[in-house]
Amino acid sequence: MLPSSAEAMQAQHKKRLSWMPWLWYRLKPKHLLWAAPWQQQVQQQLTALETITIGDNCFIAPEAALFAEPGRPITIGKQCMIAANCFIHGPVALGDEVSINHSCSLDGGSKGIVIGNQTRIANNVTLYAFNHGMAPDMPIYRQSSQSRGIVIGRDVWVGAQVGIVDGVTIGDGAVIGMGAIVTKDVPAWAIVAGNPAVIIGDRRQKPLTGSNIDSPLD
């Protein structure tokens, strides 16, 4: 039996929110009547099963995979968004108003990943806060891993398909161009791109702009 048109539309709205979670903050009251209990259930299940703390007014797609064993917590600040198909393994700490778009992969190793307030992570970004040993006298898979951690400052924009390796610190206000592989620290306000990433500009020299994205959930 096919679902009713109302049920089908609601299911499609849920899918849309999972893949474009910024729309959560533009929902009309009539949609929050069903969306708020749905999202509350998703978050309650996560906090019951994993070592996860979630701040107020967050959205976490049910298709996201969050794993936080004791000693490897995930802390999520207020008004954060985590989209569908993300993999996040603690220790990871997100500040307030952090956005992680779909299909990102974050593993905190033993030292962790810290992401500052209002930072935006585009789709398919990879952050791994550990490395395997590479000594030639032993297979790589048998060698112990080392971890130094990754720190990303506040108001940073990390473009799509970026890779950030263990030990990197990215300063406040920086921009990481699409497809960049970041192997060294990035200064505050720097714009970097390439493989390996190099500085190509300074965000403070860019003109002011404005934007607005309307919600299609009418």
PDB file of all heavy atoms in Angstrom, residues 27-48:
ATOM      1  N   LEU A  27      12.294  26.334   9.280  1.00  0.00           N
ATOM      2  CA  LEU A  27      11.027  25.615   9.286  1.00  0.00           C
ATOM      3  C   LEU A  27       9.914  26.471   9.869  1.00  0.00           C
ATOM      4  O   LEU A  27      10.094  27.189  10.856  1.00  0.00           O
ATOM      5  CB  LEU A  27      11.143  24.330  10.109  1.00  0.00           C
ATOM      6  CG  LEU A  27      11.897  23.160   9.475  1.00  0.00           C
ATOM      7  CD1 LEU A  27      11.935  21.998  10.451  1.00  0.00           C
ATOM      8  CD2 LEU A  27      11.263  22.739   8.162  1.00  0.00           C
ATOM      9  N   LYS A  28       8.746  26.358   9.265  1.00  0.00           N
ATOM     10  CA  LYS A  28       7.565  27.047   9.773  1.00  0.00           C
ATOM     11  C   LYS A  28       6.959  26.244  10.923  1.00  0.00           C
ATOM     12  O   LYS A  28       7.177  25.036  11.045  1.00  0.00           O
ATOM     13  CB  LYS A  28       6.567  27.234   8.642  1.00  0.00           C
ATOM     14  CG  LYS A  28       7.091  28.147   7.538  1.00  0.00           C
ATOM     15  CD  LYS A  28       6.065  28.342   6.447  1.00  0.00           C
ATOM     16  CE  LYS A  28       6.597  29.301   5.383  1.00  0.00           C
ATOM     17  NZ  LYS A  28       5.616  29.530   4.293  1.00  0.00           N
ATOM     18  N   PRO A  29       6.184  26.908  11.779  1.00  0.00           N
ATOM     19  CA  PRO A  29       5.598  26.200  12.929  1.00  0.00           C
ATOM     20  C   PRO A  29       4.826  24.942  12.552  1.00  0.00           C
ATOM     21  O   PRO A  29       4.855  23.940  13.273  1.00  0.00           O
ATOM     22  CB  PRO A  29       4.673  27.265  13.553  1.00  0.00           C
ATOM     23  CG  PRO A  29       5.340  28.566  13.211  1.00  0.00           C
ATOM     24  CD  PRO A  29       5.918  28.355  11.830  1.00  0.00           C
ATOM     25  N   LYS A  30       4.127  24.944  11.410  1.00  0.00           N
ATOM     26  CA  LYS A  30       3.340  23.773  11.030  1.00  0.00           C
ATOM     27  C   LYS A  30       4.234  22.565  10.747  1.00  0.00           C
ATOM     28  O   LYS A  30       3.805  21.415  10.913  1.00  0.00           O
ATOM     29  CB  LYS A  30       2.464  24.079   9.813  1.00  0.00           C
ATOM     30  CG  LYS A  30       3.226  24.365   8.519  1.00  0.00           C
ATOM     31  CD  LYS A  30       2.265  24.637   7.371  1.00  0.00           C
ATOM     32  CE  LYS A  30       3.015  24.905   6.067  1.00  0.00           C
ATOM     33  NZ  LYS A  30       2.086  25.161   4.939  1.00  0.00           N
ATOM     34  N   HIS A  31       5.472  22.802  10.293  1.00  0.00           N
ATOM     35  CA  HIS A  31       6.403  21.703  10.057  1.00  0.00           C
ATOM     36  C   HIS A  31       7.095  21.262  11.345  1.00  0.00           C
ATOM     37  O   HIS A  31       7.406  20.078  11.515  1.00  0.00           O
ATOM     38  CB  HIS A  31       7.433  22.103   9.012  1.00  0.00           C
ATOM     39  CG  HIS A  31       6.856  22.353   7.662  1.00  0.00           C
ATOM     40  ND1 HIS A  31       6.228  21.385   6.928  1.00  0.00           N
ATOM     41  CD2 HIS A  31       6.791  23.491   6.913  1.00  0.00           C
ATOM     42  CE1 HIS A  31       5.808  21.891   5.786  1.00  0.00           C
ATOM     43  NE2 HIS A  31       6.122  23.164   5.747  1.00  0.00           N
ATOM     44  N   LEU A  32       7.332  22.200  12.265  1.00  0.00           N
ATOM     45  CA  LEU A  32       7.963  21.843  13.536  1.00  0.00           C
ATOM     46  C   LEU A  32       7.081  20.916  14.372  1.00  0.00           C
ATOM     47  O   LEU A  32       7.594  20.195  15.239  1.00  0.00           O
ATOM     48  CB  LEU A  32       8.297  23.105  14.327  1.00  0.00           C
ATOM     49  CG  LEU A  32       9.505  23.904  13.817  1.00  0.00           C
ATOM     50  CD1 LEU A  32       9.605  25.230  14.552  1.00  0.00           C
ATOM     51  CD2 LEU A  32      10.796  23.104  13.973  1.00  0.00           C
ATOM     52  N   LEU A  33       5.785  20.903  14.114  1.00  0.00           N
ATOM     53  CA  LEU A  33       4.898  20.024  14.861  1.00  0.00           C
ATOM     54  C   LEU A  33       5.304  18.560  14.717  1.00  0.00           C
ATOM     55  O   LEU A  33       5.195  17.772  15.664  1.00  0.00           O
ATOM     56  CB  LEU A  33       3.449  20.221  14.397  1.00  0.00           C
ATOM     57  CG  LEU A  33       2.777  21.540  14.799  1.00  0.00           C
ATOM     58  CD1 LEU A  33       1.390  21.637  14.169  1.00  0.00           C
ATOM     59  CD2 LEU A  33       2.686  21.634  16.320  1.00  0.00           C
ATOM     60  N   TRP A  34       5.773  18.156  13.505  1.00  0.00           N
ATOM     61  CA  TRP A  34       6.244  16.783  13.328  1.00  0.00           C
ATOM     62  C   TRP A  34       7.768  16.689  13.349  1.00  0.00           C
ATOM     63  O   TRP A  34       8.328  15.662  13.742  1.00  0.00           O
ATOM     64  CB  TRP A  34       5.719  16.190  12.012  1.00  0.00           C
ATOM     65  CG  TRP A  34       6.041  16.965  10.773  1.00  0.00           C
ATOM     66  CD1 TRP A  34       5.231  17.830  10.115  1.00  0.00           C
ATOM     67  CD2 TRP A  34       7.271  16.944  10.037  1.00  0.00           C
ATOM     68  NE1 TRP A  34       5.864  18.358   9.015  1.00  0.00           N
ATOM     69  CE2 TRP A  34       7.123  17.829   8.945  1.00  0.00           C
ATOM     70  CE3 TRP A  34       8.476  16.267  10.177  1.00  0.00           C
ATOM     71  CZ2 TRP A  34       8.135  18.063   8.014  1.00  0.00           C
ATOM     72  CZ3 TRP A  34       9.487  16.486   9.255  1.00  0.00           C
ATOM     73  CH2 TRP A  34       9.311  17.370   8.187  1.00  0.00           C
ATOM     74  N   ALA A  35       8.452  17.763  12.958  1.00  0.00           N
ATOM     75  CA  ALA A  35       9.910  17.695  12.844  1.00  0.00           C
ATOM     76  C   ALA A  35      10.602  17.737  14.199  1.00  0.00           C
ATOM     77  O   ALA A  35      11.613  17.053  14.413  1.00  0.00           O
ATOM     78  CB  ALA A  35      10.412  18.851  11.969  1.00  0.00           C
ATOM     79  N   ALA A  36      10.095  18.524  15.130  1.00  0.00           N
ATOM     80  CA  ALA A  36      10.746  18.638  16.434  1.00  0.00           C
ATOM     81  C   ALA A  36      10.745  17.302  17.195  1.00  0.00           C
ATOM     82  O   ALA A  36      11.785  16.876  17.705  1.00  0.00           O
ATOM     83  CB  ALA A  36      10.102  19.746  17.256  1.00  0.00           C
ATOM     84  N   PRO A  37       9.612  16.584  17.297  1.00  0.00           N
ATOM     85  CA  PRO A  37       9.640  15.267  17.965  1.00  0.00           C
ATOM     86  C   PRO A  37      10.542  14.264  17.252  1.00  0.00           C
ATOM     87  O   PRO A  37      11.210  13.443  17.907  1.00  0.00           O
ATOM     88  CB  PRO A  37       8.179  14.820  17.941  1.00  0.00           C
ATOM     89  CG  PRO A  37       7.396  16.075  17.796  1.00  0.00           C
ATOM     90  CD  PRO A  37       8.229  16.985  16.953  1.00  0.00           C
ATOM     91  N   TRP A  38      10.564  14.301  15.931  1.00  0.00           N
ATOM     92  CA  TRP A  38      11.447  13.414  15.148  1.00  0.00           C
ATOM     93  C   TRP A  38      12.899  13.661  15.496  1.00  0.00           C
ATOM     94  O   TRP A  38      13.648  12.719  15.785  1.00  0.00           O
ATOM     95  CB  TRP A  38      11.178  13.656  13.670  1.00  0.00           C
ATOM     96  CG  TRP A  38      12.198  13.111  12.721  1.00  0.00           C
ATOM     97  CD1 TRP A  38      12.538  11.799  12.536  1.00  0.00           C
ATOM     98  CD2 TRP A  38      13.011  13.861  11.812  1.00  0.00           C
ATOM     99  NE1 TRP A  38      13.508  11.687  11.565  1.00  0.00           N
ATOM    100  CE2 TRP A  38      13.810  12.933  11.108  1.00  0.00           C
ATOM    101  CE3 TRP A  38      13.126  15.208  11.510  1.00  0.00           C
ATOM    102  CZ2 TRP A  38      14.734  13.335  10.131  1.00  0.00           C
ATOM    103  CZ3 TRP A  38      14.024  15.600  10.532  1.00  0.00           C
ATOM    104  CH2 TRP A  38      14.821  14.673   9.855  1.00  0.00           C
ATOM    105  N   GLN A  39      13.315  14.925  15.489  1.00  0.00           N
ATOM    106  CA  GLN A  39      14.701  15.249  15.791  1.00  0.00           C
ATOM    107  C   GLN A  39      15.047  14.971  17.256  1.00  0.00           C
ATOM    108  O   GLN A  39      16.156  14.507  17.572  1.00  0.00           O
ATOM    109  CB  GLN A  39      14.986  16.709  15.448  1.00  0.00           C
ATOM    110  CG  GLN A  39      16.434  17.125  15.596  1.00  0.00           C
ATOM    111  CD  GLN A  39      17.420  16.299  14.800  1.00  0.00           C
ATOM    112  OE1 GLN A  39      18.576  16.203  15.198  1.00  0.00           O
ATOM    113  NE2 GLN A  39      17.010  15.700  13.698  1.00  0.00           N
ATOM    114  N   GLN A  40      14.112  15.209  18.151  1.00  0.00           N
ATOM    115  CA  GLN A  40      14.334  14.905  19.566  1.00  0.00           C
ATOM    116  C   GLN A  40      14.600  13.419  19.770  1.00  0.00           C
ATOM    117  O   GLN A  40      15.489  13.030  20.544  1.00  0.00           O
ATOM    118  CB  GLN A  40      13.129  15.351  20.389  1.00  0.00           C
ATOM    119  CG  GLN A  40      13.297  15.140  21.894  1.00  0.00           C
ATOM    120  CD  GLN A  40      12.068  15.599  22.667  1.00  0.00           C
ATOM    121  OE1 GLN A  40      10.931  15.472  22.184  1.00  0.00           O
ATOM    122  NE2 GLN A  40      12.277  16.130  23.854  1.00  0.00           N
ATOM    123  N   GLN A  41      13.872  12.578  19.061  1.00  0.00           N
ATOM    124  CA  GLN A  41      14.074  11.133  19.172  1.00  0.00           C
ATOM    125  C   GLN A  41      15.448  10.724  18.656  1.00  0.00           C
ATOM    126  O   GLN A  41      16.121   9.883  19.263  1.00  0.00           O
ATOM    127  CB  GLN A  41      12.980  10.407  18.389  1.00  0.00           C
ATOM    128  CG  GLN A  41      13.059   8.897  18.503  1.00  0.00           C
ATOM    129  CD  GLN A  41      11.954   8.213  17.713  1.00  0.00           C
ATOM    130  OE1 GLN A  41      11.446   8.749  16.733  1.00  0.00           O
ATOM    131  NE2 GLN A  41      11.581   7.015  18.133  1.00  0.00           N
ATOM    132  N   VAL A  42      15.887  11.311  17.547  1.00  0.00           N
ATOM    133  CA  VAL A  42      17.214  11.018  17.000  1.00  0.00           C
ATOM    134  C   VAL A  42      18.291  11.343  18.033  1.00  0.00           C
ATOM    135  O   VAL A  42      19.203  10.543  18.294  1.00  0.00           O
ATOM    136  CB  VAL A  42      17.448  11.817  15.699  1.00  0.00           C
ATOM    137  CG1 VAL A  42      18.900  11.706  15.253  1.00  0.00           C
ATOM    138  CG2 VAL A  42      16.518  11.329  14.595  1.00  0.00           C
ATOM    139  N   GLN A  43      18.198  12.520  18.647  1.00  0.00           N
ATOM    140  CA  GLN A  43      19.227  12.951  19.584  1.00  0.00           C
ATOM    141  C   GLN A  43      19.180  12.161  20.894  1.00  0.00           C
ATOM    142  O   GLN A  43      20.228  11.838  21.478  1.00  0.00           O
ATOM    143  CB  GLN A  43      19.088  14.445  19.842  1.00  0.00           C
ATOM    144  CG  GLN A  43      19.341  15.290  18.601  1.00  0.00           C
ATOM    145  CD  GLN A  43      19.318  16.776  18.860  1.00  0.00           C
ATOM    146  OE1 GLN A  43      19.568  17.232  19.979  1.00  0.00           O
ATOM    147  NE2 GLN A  43      19.026  17.560  17.835  1.00  0.00           N
ATOM    148  N   GLN A  44      17.996  11.827  21.358  1.00  0.00           N
ATOM    149  CA  GLN A  44      17.878  11.035  22.583  1.00  0.00           C
ATOM    150  C   GLN A  44      18.487   9.652  22.416  1.00  0.00           C
ATOM    151  O   GLN A  44      19.140   9.137  23.333  1.00  0.00           O
ATOM    152  CB  GLN A  44      16.411  10.930  23.000  1.00  0.00           C
ATOM    153  CG  GLN A  44      15.845  12.202  23.593  1.00  0.00           C
ATOM    154  CD  GLN A  44      14.381  12.076  23.949  1.00  0.00           C
ATOM    155  OE1 GLN A  44      13.660  11.188  23.457  1.00  0.00           O
ATOM    156  NE2 GLN A  44      13.904  12.976  24.792  1.00  0.00           N
ATOM    157  N   GLN A  45      18.307   9.061  21.258  1.00  0.00           N
ATOM    158  CA  GLN A  45      18.895   7.753  21.016  1.00  0.00           C
ATOM    159  C   GLN A  45      20.410   7.824  21.006  1.00  0.00           C
ATOM    160  O   GLN A  45      21.094   6.957  21.566  1.00  0.00           O
ATOM    161  CB  GLN A  45      18.376   7.174  19.704  1.00  0.00           C
ATOM    162  CG  GLN A  45      18.868   5.751  19.439  1.00  0.00           C
ATOM    163  CD  GLN A  45      18.209   5.124  18.238  1.00  0.00           C
ATOM    164  OE1 GLN A  45      17.555   5.798  17.452  1.00  0.00           O
ATOM    165  NE2 GLN A  45      18.363   3.816  18.085  1.00  0.00           N
ATOM    166  N   LEU A  46      20.966   8.862  20.382  1.00  0.00           N
ATOM    167  CA  LEU A  46      22.420   9.024  20.349  1.00  0.00           C
ATOM    168  C   LEU A  46      22.992   9.174  21.755  1.00  0.00           C
ATOM    169  O   LEU A  46      23.984   8.524  22.103  1.00  0.00           O
ATOM    170  CB  LEU A  46      22.791  10.247  19.507  1.00  0.00           C
ATOM    171  CG  LEU A  46      22.820  10.069  17.995  1.00  0.00           C
ATOM    172  CD1 LEU A  46      23.019  11.417  17.315  1.00  0.00           C
ATOM    173  CD2 LEU A  46      23.923   9.103  17.583  1.00  0.00           C
ATOM    174  N   THR A  47      22.396  10.045  22.560  1.00  0.00           N
ATOM    175  CA  THR A  47      22.943  10.281  23.898  1.00  0.00           C
ATOM    176  C   THR A  47      22.742   9.085  24.821  1.00  0.00           C
ATOM    177  O   THR A  47      23.498   8.902  25.775  1.00  0.00           O
ATOM    178  CB  THR A  47      22.316  11.536  24.524  1.00  0.00           C
ATOM    179  OG1 THR A  47      20.892  11.409  24.543  1.00  0.00           O
ATOM    180  CG2 THR A  47      22.693  12.777  23.727  1.00  0.00           C
ATOM    181  N   ALA A  48      21.738   8.252  24.526  1.00  0.00           N
ATOM    182  CA  ALA A  48      21.529   7.054  25.339  1.00  0.00           C
ATOM    183  C   ALA A  48      22.548   5.962  25.027  1.00  0.00           C
ATOM    184  O   ALA A  48      22.924   5.176  25.902  1.00  0.00           O
ATOM    185  CB  ALA A  48      20.116   6.518  25.123  1.00  0.00           C
TER     186      ALA A  48
END
